[in-house]
Amino acid sequence: MAGRPHRAQQSYWYCTPAGLAEAAASGELAPTVGRTTGRRTASKTGLREHGLAPVDTVVAFHQAEVADHADGQVEVAHPAPAGNVVPDGVVLMASGASAFLEIDRTMPYARLVAELEHYDAYRNAPAAGRGNAARAPRSHWQETYAGPSLERPFPPVLFVFAPAPRRAAPARREAAFRERARREGRVNYRLTVATTTLPPLIRDGAGVPVWRVVGNGHSEERFALAALPKAR
């Protein structure tokens, strides 16, 4: 993954000394890049685990050949009427479709459920621009993710629950979130929302049936990414 950050505003997250040495040996590090590892900061604040969870998720997608590690972005702002929607990550999958990633370690359930409202607002944001004779104006998500003929639906929102000290186990947090999220009318009809936990995602890979769809009628059934039902 050392070859991924080429733009000036990108950086390597909290490399260990050994990781920094390997990245430097790859020839990808610019000569002016700082050499701070962040070890002391990470040990005090938990930022190391916060950084590793999305990296582990991206690696799981890459190793399963679901998405190349270079085809993901982190914390990209998406304009919506009430303010930007900023997913933890956006993955461009090998199929050409995209998915939004939300990786939780410590966020309260109310805030996680509120994220669904933000995604729904982004999905329903009015079209931008005037369009032209060949096509009608499109919203930001259609322009970015739907493809040239709008053949792709709104990207699924994938929640990954990762371990965190002094917090309930990821499986318990996933179950609690699912119970709250399934009551949201926008789920299952306007949004496809699926959940998993980080340990099986790392162990089994992102492409196999490790995803549980939020919504009535799906119960405990697990889906592969390619088989996720489309929002109605």
Side-chain angles (χ1 to χ4, degrees), residues 69-84:
H69 72 276
D71 289 334
Q73 295 177 290
V74 296
E75 298 184 349
V76 180
H78 295 69
N84 287 341

Side-chain angles (χ1 to χ4, degrees), residues 71-205:
D71 289 334
Q73 295 177 290
V74 296
E75 298 184 349
V76 180
H78 295 69
N84 287 341
V85 176
V86 186
D88 289 328
V90 179
V91 175
L92 175 62
M93 294 182 285
S95 65
S98 297
F100 298 122
L101 284 176
E102 292 290 344
I103 301 168
D104 172 67
R105 295 182 65 250
T106 60
M107 189 176 291
Y109 298 124
R111 286 185 58 189
L112 287 175
V113 173
E115 293 291 333
L116 302 179
E117 181 178 346
H118 299 157
Y119 279 106
D120 192 47
Y122 172 59
R123 180 187 182 279
N124 289 290
R130 299 181 179 179
N132 53 44
R135 68 178 191 184
R138 298 180 177 183
S139 65
H140 183 273
W141 88 260
Q142 291 172 326
E143 194 67 44
T144 309
Y145 299 112
S149 57
L150 302 182
E151 73 274 17
R152 299 189 187 106
F154 189 78
V157 185
L158 308 177
F159 284 82
V160 179
F161 291 84
R166 298 181 297 280
R167 298 284 178 170
R172 287 185 60 188
R173 299 207 317 277
E174 179 191 18
F177 167 75
R178 291 174 58 81
E179 177 62 26
R180 289 163 173 79
R182 71 178 181 83
R183 304 171 192 164
E184 293 291 312
R186 56 185 61 86
V187 174
N188 207 32
Y189 289 92
R190 300 202 295 265
L191 296 175
T192 296
V193 179
T195 67
T196 191
T197 59
L198 189 57
L201 187 67
I202 294 173
R203 181 186 67 240
D204 302 327

Side-chain angles (χ1 to χ4, degrees), residues 203-215:
R203 181 186 67 240
D204 302 327
V208 301
V210 296
W211 302 96
R212 294 197 297 167
V213 176
V214 176

